[in-house]
Amino acid sequence: MDARTALAPPAKSPVPGGRNLHRFANPGRFLRLSGKVLPWFSAAGLVLTLIGLGWGLFFAPADWQQGDAVRIMYVHVPFAWLASAGYVGLALCSLASLVWRHPLADLAAQEIGPVGAGATALCLATGSLWGKPMWGAWWVWDARLTSVLVLFFLYLGHVALVRAFDDPARGARAGAILALVGAVDLPIIKFSVNWWNTLHQPATITLTGAPTMYLGMLWPLFIAALGLTLGFVAVILARTRAAVMERRIRALLLAQAQREQVLPRQVGA
Amino acid sequence: MTHLTYIIAAYGLFVVVAVWFSATAWARMARARRRLAAIDPRASR
């Protein structure tokens, strides 16, 4: 990457709608804004997670059928939501990168990948730990489980692909295409429990209907989900801030090296 | 509490992964900030 392009303000977007997005593409503005919100997101995420998980683990009632194993739900369900939501974020960043050439979108997508993979791995692992005592099996090739496993591989594929090229811009472009194509897995995950006969239960909480869960279980679940979402966003913001600063460091070192190369030639002439 | 082993394993796994991701993100950010400040104090602001 050229030192000038790394530090220059972003180019005007050729596509309508890109101008508003580019207001937030300035790395300096992003660092300032994220620096202000990051401590609040981190603190609120930590407090809400502790309240939600503590409530779910020690005070929420056990399920009449599942017993205390239902307490795994308070970590499993938020990570299932975050795995899908993270991929939506990855796909949106990829779209912004491909269509509007948003300079921060590439970096954000690159940082969402590993965190999303971690959330999906946690969803699968905690689901397995919940499935063993309830279904008698660690794993079944059920449509919901398999589609989430595909999501995990999509995340890993994205992480590997963006790092597979010498030119970071080409890696980001290839990763963005993969992320957009992979988004087809999201509705499959969502509707898998309706489209196929699955061992996994159908959705308990929907946007259209009333939840079929006792409120004493629903509240800690929502609080834990909110806390973990804030924590998830905080980790991605922190990683993206680090990536922006690392890019600046590379650009400054490159500019310094270019100056040092030019100077001896001028002195020699 | 029933199924205690599974519950401890699930929550333990969560704690390990959450702490690892948070710690590495913060350490990376702090390292980048330090390096940037060393190279160009103006740019790190």
Side-chain angles (χ1 to χ4, degrees):
Chain A
M1 188 196 312
D2 186 83
R4 279 165 303 173
T5 53
L7 293 173
K12 274 191 181 164
S13 170
V15 183
R19 195 187 294 171
N20 283 337
L21 270 173
H22 274 286
R23 279 181 54 225
F24 301 101
N26 183 306
R29 188 175 292 158
F30 168 77
L31 286 178
R32 272 196 305 279
L33 197 67
S34 60
K36 279 182 190 156
V37 299
L38 190 57
W40 293 100
F41 273 44
S42 311
L46 182 67
V47 170
L48 288 174
T49 301
L50 287 176
I51 292 173
L53 293 186
W55 187 350
L57 199 53
F58 300 111
F59 304 108
D63 186 70
W64 69 280
Q65 267 183 324
Q66 301 187 28
D68 287 303
V70 78
R71 298 184 198 283
I72 296 174
M73 168 181 77
Y74 302 106
V75 277
H76 172 72
V77 173
F79 278 107
W81 290 339
L82 285 175
S84 291
Y87 202 88
V88 171
L90 179 62
L92 288 176
C93 285
S94 302
L95 189 71
S97 162
L98 283 178
V99 178
W100 292 290
R101 300 266 193 263
H102 194 292
L104 277 179
D106 283 346
L107 288 181
Q110 196 178 316
E111 299 307 326
I112 290 173
V115 187
T120 315
L122 261 179
C123 165
L124 288 167
T126 53
S128 189
L129 285 162
W130 195 5
K132 177 64 181 165
M134 294 301 108
W135 301 338
W138 294 105
W139 180 264
V140 284
W141 290 102
D142 157 288
R144 172 58 71 85
L145 275 70
T146 309
S147 53
V148 175
L149 184 66
V150 170
L151 183 73
F152 178 59
F153 290 139
L154 282 167
Y155 271 125
L156 291 187
H158 184 269
V159 170
L161 197 58
V162 293
R163 285 162 177 76
F165 292 84
D166 288 334
D167 178 9
R170 282 185 66 202
R173 174 163 276 261
I177 292 167
L178 173 72
L180 286 176
V181 172
V184 76
D185 191 37
L186 294 175
I188 297 176
I189 292 173
K190 171 84 180 90
F191 297 110
S192 57
V193 286
N194 307 116
W195 291 342
W196 292 284
N197 239 338
T198 58
L199 196 54
H200 193 285
Q201 66 173 62
T204 313
I205 302 159
T206 58
L207 288 174
T208 49
T212 56
M213 192 191 288
Y214 173 58
L215 275 179
M217 293 172 157
L218 197 61
W219 271 110
L221 178 62
F222 270 136
I223 292 170
L226 185 61
L228 290 169
T229 304
L230 288 172
F232 185 81
V233 173
V235 167
I236 290 168
L237 274 180
R239 290 176 65 109
T240 310
R241 277 174 65 79
V244 169
M245 287 190 271
E246 284 161 2
R247 194 167 67 170
R248 271 191 178 187
I249 292 166
R250 273 197 303 275
L252 286 166
L253 289 177
L254 191 64
Q256 201 179 339
Q258 281 170 348
R259 270 199 310 273
E260 280 166 8
Q261 258 184 349
V262 169
L263 204 61
R265 263 190 246 145
Q266 285 175 341
V267 171
Chain B
M1 206 180 253
T2 60
H3 309 107
L4 195 59
T5 321
Y6 297 101
I7 297 168
I8 291 172
Y11 279 76
L13 206 60
F14 153 68
V15 170
V16 169
V17 173
V19 167
W20 189 80
F21 267 106
S22 310
T24 51
W26 261 258
R28 192 177 146 200
M29 202 169 63
R31 196 170 51 237
R33 196 184 294 137
R34 267 199 313 273
R35 279 197 69 196
L36 192 58
I39 295 169
D40 182 8
R42 217 162 31 96
S44 66
R45 263 181 264 147

